[in-house]
């Protein structure tokens, strides 16, 4: 009787969920030699299953098993750390926050008891508040107090509690404080008060007599729309919480990640806070993918939602490629700022973000993912423990200057960039490829007594600018501008640089507008020279002794700029020589049980 050959097959492994909550599939390599006999190949029956086959047992290698166990232990520890962190940060709403509930309800009662006020002109309303209650209302000056704007007050039809406190995603700030109860009153109107078709991002809602044609006002329009959508977003976030059990914890992880990086919902803090984080996840759980499919799944764990959101922020440029959620018919005009348009509610969720704050957010997301991909890094500390909002730690170059927006003779209604936008535009043009990020920030006063007028802009601490530099280009001493034939671009170049611009012929025969930053005998870096020139020419800061920053503080500790590779290694020669002597001494030691073959340097100074 002929023996039938045994049929081999691979074992099919079901997906396993690791301790991070992520889905993974075991893969075992078949070490047996493939047979050339067709009768020994695996065969499928009519139902797609392997028929009459005997599985071959494959054992993983010892090194692979150790690596798998190490990754599993690391993942288990990371999950335990996250769970403990969430337990420490989550307030005990049922026991510890009863007094907070009483204060919130007391405030509701106070607001409900405020009597109605008849309509008054803005100057009369300001005077009435000042005389009766000693309250100095911070009206915009001089527009509001000089206009015929009338103000009245009527009791609100409804007072609701919204935000992280209501969604139970608030965070403790330290172990000794139950909750940082900062109450902010948000005015809201019904959804149909302002017709949606009139306040879309492409519409112009501010009259400008000096401008020709319609000038879109996307941020102003979104501000109006946001006051119409408060209840709509409360409903959206509630529905998303019901669909996904992990959303609350994902929002808490995101809120902590943002807090450690100094990012928040206010415009001065970047315009991306806990509300924007939760709304972004909720929208991506509904749409955003191909063929209208969601990018995020309702079944994701909290860590999966958190990490997938970081991946979305780092990989998707919403300035170059705006995203429209559930709004297929919306026609968009490109702007400089990010766009995540929520078609169901008619609002750009990222309307408070500038181009530079969005770039900073994406950079922080990329850095976090880079740390997560490092198997030797402490992932938990990188994401949630390390405080990275200190400017001297975040930026390669950081400075403060006491400057304000240059005075102009234009009317108050003319469209002009604010000071931060002017700083960003000038320094981006001047630094070019030297800087990967220019981050201006107005250092203003945010809190003052209600019986005092708002601080004058001239009394503000000034302005800060943070730079992330490209090490390959930041010390370039020659800036090549447009060719002499391009009259328009050459005029812009000459106007920007002034007397620093000059025509130069290069080795390839081209004649270009150029700027030279070679300062023989000067200890100032190229970056410092460019900053000083821009501040002097475009912002009138001639005396820059009041400018302070990272470069000036540490310049005296650094060696002067060196041109060749040998010159750059000169400061490290003593350390390297000592290291070589140490290596020789170690190799010369006798009586060691094993022979020393190689000695590697760990310190960056030796590498």
């Amino acid at each position: 009787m002929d023996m039938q050959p045994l049929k081999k097959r691979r074992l099919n492994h079901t997906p396993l969920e690791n301790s991070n909550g992520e889905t993974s599939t075991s893969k075992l390599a078949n070490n047996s030699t493939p047979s050339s006999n067709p009768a020994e190949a695996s065969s499928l029956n009519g139902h797609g299953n392997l028929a009459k086959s005997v599985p071959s047992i494959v054992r993983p290698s010892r090194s692979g098993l150790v690596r798998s166990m190490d990754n599993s232990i690391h993942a288990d520890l990371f999950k335990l750390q996250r769970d403990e962190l969430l337990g420490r940060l989550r307030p005990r709403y049922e026991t510890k926050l009863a007094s907070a509930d009483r204060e919130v309800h007391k405030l509701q009662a106070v607001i409900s008891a405020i009597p109605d006020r008849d309509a008054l002109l803005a100057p009369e309303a300001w005077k009435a508040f000042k005389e009766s209650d000693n309250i100095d209302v911070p009206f915009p000056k001089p527009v509001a107090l000089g206009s015929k704007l009338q103000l009245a007050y009527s009791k609100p039809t409804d007072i609701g509690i919204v935000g992280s406190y209501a969604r139970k995603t608030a965070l403790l700030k330290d172990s000794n404080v139950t909750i940082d109860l900062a109450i902010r009153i948000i005015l809201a109107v019904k959804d149909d008060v302002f017709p949606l078709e009139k306040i879309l991002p492409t519409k112009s809602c501010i009259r400008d007599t000096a401008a020709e044609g319609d000038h879109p006002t996307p941020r102003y329009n979104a501000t109006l729309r946001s006051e119409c959508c408060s209840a709509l977003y409360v409903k959206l976030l509630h529905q998303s919480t019901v669909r996904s059990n992990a959303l609350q914890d994902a929002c808490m992880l995101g809120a902590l990640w943002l807090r450690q990086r100094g990012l928040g919902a206010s415009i001065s803090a970047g315009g991306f806070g806990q509300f924007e984080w939760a709304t972004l996840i909720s929208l991506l759980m509904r749409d955003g993918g191909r063929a209208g499919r969601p990018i995020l799944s309702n079944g994701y764990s909290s860590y999966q939602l958190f990490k997938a959101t970081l991946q979305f922020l780092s990989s998707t440029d919403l300035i170059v490629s705006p995203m429209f959620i559930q709004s297929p018919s919306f026609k968009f005009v490109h702007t400089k700022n990010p766009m995540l348009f929520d078609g169901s509610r008619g609002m750009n969720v990222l309307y408070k973000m500038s181009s530079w704050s969005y770039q900073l957010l994406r950079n922080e997301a990329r850095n976090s993912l880079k740390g997560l991909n490092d198997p030797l890094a402490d992932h938990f500390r990188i994401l949630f423990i390390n405080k990275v909002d200190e400017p001297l730690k975040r930026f390669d170059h950081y400075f403060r200057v006491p400057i304000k927006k240059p005075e102009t003779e234009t009317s108050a209604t003319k469209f002009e960039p604010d000071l931060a936008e002017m700083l960003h535009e000038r320094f981006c043009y001047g630094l070019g490829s030297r800087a990967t990020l220019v981050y201006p920030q107005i250092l203003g006063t945010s809190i003052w007594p209600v019986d005092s007028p708002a601080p004058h802009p001239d009394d503000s601490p000034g302005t800060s600018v943070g730079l992330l530099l490209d090490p390959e280009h930041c010390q370039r001493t020659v800036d090549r501008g447009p060719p002499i034939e391009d009259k328009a671009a050459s005029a812009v170049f000459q106007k920007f640089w002034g007397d620093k611009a000059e025509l130069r012929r290069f080795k390839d025969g081209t004649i270009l507008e150029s700027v030279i930053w070679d300062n023989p005998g000067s200890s100032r870096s190229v970056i410092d020279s460019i900053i000083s020139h821009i501040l002097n020419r475009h912002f009138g800061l001639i005396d820059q002794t009041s400018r302070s920053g990272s470069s000036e503080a540490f310049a005296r500790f650094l060696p002067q700029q060196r041109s060749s590779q040998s010159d750059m290694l000169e400061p490290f020669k003593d350390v390297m020589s000592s290291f070589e002597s140490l290596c020789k001494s170690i190799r010369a030691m006798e009586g060691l049980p094993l022979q020393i073959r190689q000695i590697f340097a760990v310190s960056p100074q030796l590498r």
Side-chain angles (χ1 to χ4, degrees), residues 273-502:
Q274 188 173 359
F275 167 77
E276 287 76 16
W277 176 279
T279 303
L280 173 62
I281 295 180
S282 300
L283 293 177
L284 296 182
M285 291 169 62
R286 286 165 168 76
D287 199 350
R290 295 181 179 179
R293 296 178 180 177
I295 292 179
L296 304 180
S297 170
N298 295 333
Y300 279 179
S301 66
S302 60
Y303 178 70
Q304 285 177 312
L305 287 174
F306 171 80
K307 186 175 181 180
T309 305
L310 291 183
Q311 290 173 336
F312 174 82
L313 290 173
S314 64
S315 62
T316 307
D317 191 341
L318 297 177
I319 297 179
V320 177
S321 302
M323 179 173 287
F324 306 98
I325 304 294
Q326 298 176 344
S327 55
S329 60
F330 179 68
K331 295 181 179 179
F332 175 67
V333 178
H334 183 73
T335 64
K336 300 178 181 178
N337 299 330
M339 169 67 74
L340 178 64
F341 189 75
D342 179 9
S344 298
R345 281 149 285 273
M347 193 179 78
N348 176 22
V349 178
L350 307 180
Y351 76 95
K352 290 183 289 185
M353 299 198 76
S354 60
S355 60
W356 53 91
S357 67
Y358 179 64
Q359 291 174 7
L360 179 65
L361 174 67
R362 296 190 66 208
N363 185 70
E364 293 293 346
R366 283 192 293 266
N367 290 341
S368 297
L369 291 175
K370 183 179 179 180
L372 286 176
N373 294 329
D374 185 356
L376 301 179
D378 187 343
H379 300 168
F380 180 75
R381 180 168 293 277
I382 289 175
L383 290 177
F384 307 118
I385 302 300
N386 291 343
K387 192 79 170 170
V388 294
D389 60 338
E390 173 59 42
L392 295 181
K393 296 180 180 179
R394 168 176 282 170
F395 300 112
D396 298 320
H397 193 107
Y398 176 81
F399 60 94
R400 294 184 179 185
V401 285
I403 61 176
K404 60 180 181 178
K405 184 177 178 180
E407 297 292 339
T408 60
E409 299 179 355
T410 56
S411 65
T413 57
K414 182 175 176 58
F415 291 97
E416 293 181 338
D418 57 18
L419 178 56
E421 188 174 350
M422 292 175 65
L423 285 166
H424 183 261
E425 179 184 346
R426 303 295 195 276
F427 280 105
C428 282
Y429 185 91
L431 294 170
S433 61
R434 292 182 177 90
T436 59
L437 173 65
V438 176
Y439 189 82
Q441 188 175 19
I442 308 300
L443 305 174
T445 304
S446 58
I447 299 176
W448 65 90
V450 295
D451 57 350
S452 301
H456 194 274
D458 291 346
D459 299 329
S460 65
T463 306
S464 69
V465 179
L467 304 176
L468 290 180
L469 303 177
D470 186 343
E472 185 178 352
H473 300 100
C474 64
Q475 294 299 331
R476 184 180 66 245
T477 58
V478 179
D479 280 338
R480 296 193 178 193
I484 190 174
E485 295 80 12
D486 191 342
K487 301 297 183 182
S490 296
V492 173
F493 190 88
Q494 294 171 9
K495 182 180 179 180
F496 185 87
W497 292 115
D499 55 3
K500 289 289 292 184
E502 59 182 68

